[in-house]
Amino acid sequence: MGNKMRILYAEDYELDAELTKILLEEHEFTVDIAADGEKAWDAYNRQKPDILLLDLNMPQKDGIEVTRLIRQKDPHTHIIIYSSHGEPEREIAALDAGADDYLPKPFSTSELLARVRAMLRRKDNYVPDLLSVGDLVLNRSTYEISYQDSTRPLSGREFQIMEMFMQR
């Protein structure tokens, strides 16, 4: 039982959270629930889950903000963002912030489980789009550079120079 994969499920609707927790636990996952983005960030730091399921539109911190915070610390944790709202711009922003997958609600049990299993299969082969040197993080997919709590976009030339320096 000690080898169970840990999932952090961030959902502000208590009934949805409890039902999904029961479903995932029936499939041998350890599941923690966070009711908002701030609690999800705190739980991530305490529990180091293997996978995060984050609601795109949460109170306190939204799924995009939580994803950015996690990616600054850890490029390997798998993140699936989900939302019941069809917001293509925010879906793209979530993926660009570092989410590995996007799942529209309502989703079927089998689809959720299939996406979680797919994440776990790729766990050992994951190659991050983030390059880190100390507190400096270069996001290769968004051409942004982050230092501590500040992020800024780079031009193509700036990105090439930073990537070259950081690789050496």
Side-chain angles (χ1 to χ4, degrees):
M1 293 279 179
N3 292 341
K4 281 187 177 183
M5 294 304 236
R6 180 174 291 275
I7 295 176
L8 175 60
Y9 185 59
E11 170 62 65
D12 55 329
Y13 293 108
E14 189 175 345
L15 181 59
D16 285 356
E18 286 302 321
L19 291 173
T20 303
K21 178 179 179 172
I22 290 167
L23 162 83
L24 291 168
E25 286 175 342
E26 285 176 358
H27 287 86
E28 301 300 313
F29 293 102
T30 299
V31 181
D32 301 298
I33 295 175
D36 62 51
E38 190 67 43
K39 289 179 178 141
W41 173 238
D42 292 342
Y44 163 79
N45 283 301
R46 280 192 323 276
Q47 297 155 343
K48 300 297 185 219
D50 299 291
I51 295 180
L52 281 90
L53 298 171
L54 299 175
D55 188 353
L56 181 62
N57 299 304
M58 290 184 287
Q60 307 302 319
K61 292 180 179 354
D62 68 10
I64 294 170
E65 189 175 353
V66 174
T67 298
R68 282 191 183 120
L69 289 168
I70 290 168
R71 285 296 178 240
Q72 288 176 1
K73 286 183 78 169
D74 178 13
H76 302 288
T77 299
H78 293 296
I79 301 172
I80 299 173
I81 298 272
Y82 64 90
S83 178
S84 58
H85 306 288
E87 303 171 82
E89 301 83 22
R90 295 208 4 106
E91 294 168 20
I92 292 166
L95 293 167
D96 284 344
D100 297 295
D101 199 358
Y102 177 82
L103 185 61
K105 275 179 93 175
F107 45 79
S108 70
T109 300
S110 56
E111 182 178 15
L112 173 63
L113 291 169
R115 288 178 190 244
V116 167
R117 286 190 306 269
M119 289 285 152
L120 294 174
R121 278 194 305 273
R122 292 195 303 264
K123 187 172 177 80
D124 295 331
N125 299 326
Y126 182 72
V127 177
D129 280 341
L130 302 177
L131 183 60
S132 300
V133 175
D135 288 340
L136 193 62
V137 179
L138 183 67
N139 186 323
R140 291 175 167 151
S141 63
T142 63
Y143 280 52
E144 291 178 327
I145 193 152
S146 301
Y147 181 72
Q148 296 172 343
D149 294 329
S150 176
T151 300
R152 95 178 258 277
L154 298 176
S155 69
R157 174 68 69 204
E158 291 170 327
F159 172 82
Q160 290 173 336
I161 292 168
M162 284 307 300
E163 184 179 39
M164 182 183 68
F165 283 139
M166 291 176 75
Q167 286 176 329
R168 287 170 176 74

